[in-house]
Amino acid sequence: MAAASEPLGQLDWNFSQVFGERTPGEEVQDADIISAVEFDKTGEHLATGDRGGRVVLFERMHPSKAALDAMRARGGPSIPPVEYRYLTEFQSHEPEFDYLKSLEIEEKINTLRWCHQGANGARFLVSTNDKTIKLWKVFEKQMQHVSDFNLDASVKAAHRASLGGGGDHHGAGDDHHHNPLM
């Protein structure tokens, strides 16, 4: 019971209904206002939707042990901070017009829901507006650098060295990067 009487670390909460930095007096566009927020069941991923029909995905960052030790040494909270970094974004819904009802359908995201994770590591996300339900498959895919295909080996080696990639140990176009795609 002694642990119950110890104060937990002070949490610093910030709230913003829109993404990005705003200067004082800057007008917020209606399309930028967040209209839906959903964490997956593990808390590792966060999806947000806005009135402009965009979905923005984030993934949880885990601080290194050295960073946690340094924070505790400075007298910081014993509970590590929870931070999310930008993963990707996409346009989920567009404005539509229902000709049968003579009604304009807003692109605003009403609901987001994470679904069961697939066997290949893909995640599924459902987004809805007033009329349409969409199922999105979110996964990471290796992308190749196409810029190296027409270069001779010495130019490729110099280019990789300038990027910090080292010598010519890759074949043409073998520079792989991970990017989340829909």
Side-chain angles (χ1 to χ4, degrees):
M1 285 294 173
S5 63
E6 293 179 28
L8 293 175
Q10 194 71 340
L11 296 177
D12 182 27
W13 289 92
N14 294 311
F15 175 77
S16 178
Q17 190 69 26
V18 294
F19 288 118
E21 299 292 323
R22 301 279 188 242
T23 58
E26 182 180 355
E27 189 173 318
V28 174
Q29 301 297 316
D30 187 59
D32 294 334
I33 296 176
I34 297 170
S35 58
V37 175
E38 176 77 4
F39 289 92
D40 72 348
K41 67 180 179 179
T42 65
E44 293 296 313
H45 293 91
L46 167 65
T48 63
D50 64 20
R51 291 184 182 176
R54 292 178 301 263
V55 173
V56 182
L57 303 179
F58 298 89
E59 65 183 347
R60 187 173 178 182
M61 292 175 30
H62 294 279
S64 68
K65 183 176 179 347
L68 289 173
D69 291 342
M71 184 184 341
R72 289 184 184 118
R74 290 190 308 262
S78 59
I79 301 170
V82 178
E83 291 186 51
Y84 288 83
R85 73 171 168 227
Y86 172 86
L87 188 59
T88 192
E89 71 181 85
F90 56 94
Q91 187 71 35
S92 177
H93 294 277
E94 299 282 348
E96 302 174 51
F97 189 79
D98 186 336
Y99 291 99
L100 293 175
K101 297 180 181 178
S102 295
L103 247 162
E104 190 172 322
I105 309 296
E106 285 185 301
E107 65 267 33
K108 177 182 114 177
I109 304 294
N110 292 331
T111 305
L112 293 166
R113 290 289 180 264
W114 289 99
C115 302
H116 177 71
Q117 185 169 343
N120 64 353
R123 290 171 202 79
F124 294 94
L125 180 71
V126 173
S127 64
T128 67
N129 68 357
D130 288 338
K131 180 181 177 186
T132 308
I133 299 171
K134 293 188 178 184
L135 176 65
W136 297 94
K137 182 178 181 181
V138 182
F139 60 95
E140 289 193 32
K141 182 177 180 180
Q142 286 189 340
M143 295 178 60
Q144 293 185 345
H145 259 247
V146 181
S147 62
D148 287 350
F149 282 131
N150 294 327
L151 302 177
D152 66 15
S154 62
V155 174
K156 285 185 220 174
H159 177 71
R160 285 194 185 98
S162 72
L163 294 175
D168 189 25
H169 57 277
H170 296 294
D174 280 346
D175 289 336
H176 294 291
H177 302 280
H178 291 284
N179 264 354
L181 298 177
M182 297 324 111

